[in-house]
């Protein structure tokens, strides 16, 4: 079997994606990599390379040595961190993508997964059930890099026949690995603090509603879009993907059903402005029609899974 390389494997998505792909394709066929020298014990069951995505020579060598035919590129700087290092973020998020798309253009690999985000939308996009195709004027460096990345994915597909597939993930909620500097991270932190101290200070306002999704649904969507026949992938920029939507007040009420004494206070910072520019919810009917996407895990189930997972 030809092999799969995951770049950015030590992150929030990477760890769970490596584990799931290894269940399907076997430990030796799924190669994890990250800029980090040390990797979490949870992904120690298969091969691992220390790889900086900016190092094209090393990337090529790993691809050739291991007969890699598919790459999942997860390395990026997320929205909140990217605002602190805009040029660094732009360079990593865009040059990293070019490094992988060029391998596919040169036919060294056959298929690429690259994630986009709800951050591609901006204040002028419709906020509710944001359509697949609409005004897109992102105001963050992260959103600008994701929108540019989407345009380049479509370009490489149209011009060079590159089989690249992409999803605009909402904020992802999981307990196996900490989130990496995004605006939606509060929806993970809130559970950690609810268990630790029964108190949480939220950096968003109580009514900052955002699209969110439980990690198992996001991982399933990623594998489903990659396994779909090429003819069913009609959008080669990136697909809207919808899970659930809630604001900090709603998730607090859901947590209080399990931990009645849980308290929250609000001290909005710069991330509130980012959240305000993003959709409240997105319309994912194209993903539903084209490759039969369906979300499964709802809010109260997420709360139960998060509290149980973190307690263990
Ligand atoms: P993360 O920050 O948790 O993980 C990113 C990983 O990339 C880290 O382990 C980091 O060490 C690694 N990395 C950083 N620079 C690197 C480099 N130069 N070379 C190789 N590896 C490097 O991020 P995540 O949440 O797992 O997100 C993965 C992808 O999904 C990103 O493109 C992100 O924009 C996108 N996404 C994530 C979410 C979310 O809620 N987690 C939502 C939308 C989109
Ligand atoms: C972030 O908040 O930056 C990410 C995302 C929605 O892209 N979680």
């Amino acid at each position: 079997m030809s092999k799969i390389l995951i770049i950015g494997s030590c992150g929030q998505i990477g760890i769970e994606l490596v584990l799931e792909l290894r269940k399907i394709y076997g430990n030796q066929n799924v190669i994890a990599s990250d800029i980090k020298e040390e990797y979490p014990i949870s992904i120690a069951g298969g091969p691992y390379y220390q790889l900086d995505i900016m190092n094209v020579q090393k990337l090529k060598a790993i691809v050739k040595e291991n007969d890699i035919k598919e790459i999942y590129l997860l390395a990026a700087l997320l929205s909140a961190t990217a605002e602190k290092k805009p040029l660094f973020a732009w360079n990593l998020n865009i040059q990293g993508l070019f490094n992988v798309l060029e391998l596919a253009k040169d036919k060294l690999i056959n298929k690429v997964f690259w994630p986009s985000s709800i951050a591609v939308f901006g204040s002028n996009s419709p906020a509710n059930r944001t359509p697949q195709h609409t005004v897109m004027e992102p105001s963050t460096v992260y959103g600008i890099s994701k929108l540019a990345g989407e345009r380049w994915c479509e370009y490489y597909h149209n011009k060079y026949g590159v089989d690249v597939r992409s999803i605009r993930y909402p904020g992802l909620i999981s307990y196996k690995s900490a989130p990496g500097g995004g605006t939606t991270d509060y929806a993970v932190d809130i559970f950690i603090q609810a268990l630790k101290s029964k108190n949480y200070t939220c950096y968003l306002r109580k009514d900052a509603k955002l699209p969110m999704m439980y990690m198992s649904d996001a991982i399933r969507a990623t594998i489903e879009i990659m396994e779909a026949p090429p003819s069913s992938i009609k959008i080669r920029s990136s697909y809207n993907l919808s899970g659930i939507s809630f604001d900090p007040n709603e998730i607090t009420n859901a947590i209080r059903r399990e931990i009645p004494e849980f308290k929250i206070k609000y001290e909005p910072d710069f991330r509130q402005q980012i959240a305000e520019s993003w959709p409240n919810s997105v319309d994912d009917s194209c993903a539903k029609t084209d490759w039969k996407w369906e979300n499964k895990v709802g809010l109260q189930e997420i709360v139960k899974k998060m509290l149980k997972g973190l307690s263990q």
Side-chain angles (χ1 to χ4, degrees):
M1 196 205 130
S2 58
K3 298 205 170 109
I4 295 172
L5 175 66
I6 301 174
I7 302 168
S9 298
C10 298
Q12 193 196 6
I13 300 174
I15 288 178
E16 300 212 26
L17 186 60
V18 167
L19 293 175
E20 202 54 36
L21 287 172
R22 282 182 177 164
K23 263 193 222 158
I24 302 171
Y25 299 108
N27 284 6
Q28 295 310 313
N29 293 321
V30 179
I31 295 168
S33 75
D34 200 286
I35 196 167
K36 293 179 180 161
E37 268 177 35
E38 295 199 0
Y39 53 91
I41 185 84
S42 54
I43 58 167
Y48 180 86
Y49 283 91
Q50 192 270 328
L51 169 70
D52 180 347
I53 182 55
M54 306 306 265
N55 185 341
V56 182
Q57 294 318 316
K58 189 164 179 186
L59 171 64
K60 259 192 199 162
I62 293 172
V63 165
K64 284 184 182 165
E65 265 167 40
N66 295 281
D67 190 26
I68 284 166
K69 291 296 170 217
E70 277 182 34
I71 292 185
Y72 291 71
L73 172 57
L74 304 176
L77 237 55
L78 276 76
S79 59
T81 316
E83 286 308 295
K84 293 178 183 154
K85 300 184 200 169
L87 296 184
F88 180 87
W90 169 261
N91 200 29
L92 171 64
N93 294 6
I94 289 295
Q95 191 57 48
L97 175 60
F98 278 134
N99 293 349
V100 172
L101 289 176
E102 281 290 306
L103 291 184
K105 178 186 152 193
D106 295 342
K107 313 272 183 250
L108 271 97
I109 55 170
N110 299 333
K111 224 191 250 184
V112 177
F113 177 81
W114 171 81
S116 184
S117 159
I118 51 161
V120 292
F121 298 111
S123 313
N124 292 329
S125 311
N128 294 314
R129 286 187 57 78
T130 309
Q132 174 72 41
H133 302 287
T134 186
V135 175
M136 296 169 90
E137 294 173 353
S139 52
T140 59
V141 63
Y142 176 67
I144 295 169
S145 72
K146 289 294 184 188
L147 180 55
E150 287 190 7
R151 302 319 308 148
W152 280 111
C153 287
E154 190 184 272
Y155 184 89
Y156 270 71
H157 175 75
N158 291 342
K159 192 98 175 174
Y160 309 119
V162 168
D163 188 355
V164 53
R165 302 167 185 215
S166 176
I167 284 170
R168 290 174 184 151
Y169 289 131
L172 301 181
I173 304 175
S174 65
Y175 62 85
K176 288 189 186 155
S177 168
T183 302
T184 59
D185 293 9
Y186 93 86
V188 174
D189 300 340
I190 196 169
F191 290 104
I192 297 170
Q193 295 312 323
L195 284 168
K196 240 193 213 166
S197 64
K198 300 190 171 41
N199 271 289
Y200 181 62
T201 304
C202 186
Y203 57 77
L204 297 183
R205 271 189 2 215
K206 67 191 295 185
D207 60 350
K209 198 178 195 101
L210 289 166
M212 300 279 187
M213 182 176 284
Y214 193 59
M215 188 60 87
S216 61
D217 279 326
I219 298 294
R220 187 171 47 79
T222 307
I223 296 172
E224 282 176 6
I225 194 175
M226 284 298 270
E227 287 184 343
S231 57
S232 66
I233 308 299
K234 312 246 190 284
I235 293 171
R236 293 297 184 152
S237 52
S238 192
Y239 278 92
N240 275 8
L241 198 71
S242 174
I244 51 171
S245 283
F246 56 79
D247 60 32
N249 189 45
E250 286 166 320
I251 195 174
T252 299
N253 290 336
I255 292 173
R256 279 189 186 137
R257 274 179 222 130
E258 309 296 324
I259 307 177
E261 59 278 40
F262 176 57
K263 288 195 179 67
I264 187 163
K265 65 177 176 170
Y266 297 94
E267 288 177 9
D269 66 16
F270 72 100
R271 289 168 282 190
Q272 172 60 30
Q273 211 180 343
I274 299 178
E276 275 170 35
S277 75
W278 290 356
N280 301 331
S281 60
V282 296
D283 174 5
D284 61 355
S285 43
C286 291
K288 284 184 169 138
T289 306
D290 292 358
W291 44 278
K292 314 295 170 232
W293 156 249
E294 201 187 328
N295 188 67
K296 289 193 176 152
V297 188
L299 178 57
Q300 205 58 45
E301 205 183 337
I302 291 180
V303 171
K304 286 191 184 355
K305 283 175 185 285
M306 286 296 290
L307 293 175
K308 188 170 171 210
L310 287 168
S311 313
Q312 283 167 354

